[in-house]
Amino acid sequence: MKALYLDARDRYQKIVSLKEDGLIIAEVRGDADLLKLIAQLVNQTDLNISEINRVEVNTQGGSFTGVRLSLSVARSFVFALGLPEGSVVSG
């Protein structure tokens, strides 16, 4: 199972990771737009977006706006991929 992990709590250091069976297999960090970081990760790993089974979001502490942004992007991915509602995991 592949999961996309999003963490935008810190406006200067966003994290986008690709996990497979719970293990991080690729990660990008930076202060760029969250969608640009996702594009970098996809290009770096030759990932087919349809392989993503769920999206994880870090909601612990940090910037309220960053958490909201991460959740919005996660929900958009879930909708676009046709995944079940419970495919967004926060924690």
Side-chain angles (χ1 to χ4, degrees), residues 19-81:
K19 293 182 175 183
E20 188 164 12
D21 299 324
L23 299 173
I24 296 173
I25 58 172
E27 182 175 271
V28 292
R29 295 171 177 251
D31 64 351
D33 180 280
L34 194 58
L35 293 175
K36 288 181 183 176
L37 291 175
I38 292 170
Q40 284 179 13
L41 182 74
V42 168
N43 290 334
Q44 170 182 317
T45 60
D46 292 326
L47 173 70
N48 184 342
I49 293 292
S50 64
E51 295 177 57
I52 295 173
N53 303 98
R54 71 185 207 170
V55 182
E56 300 176 0
V57 177
N58 190 342
T59 59
Q60 304 298 315
S63 160
F64 175 72
T65 302
V67 170
R68 253 181 31 189
L69 172 69
S70 294
L71 285 169
S72 296
V73 170
R75 293 198 60 161
S76 297
F77 264 88
V78 166
F79 177 77
L81 294 171

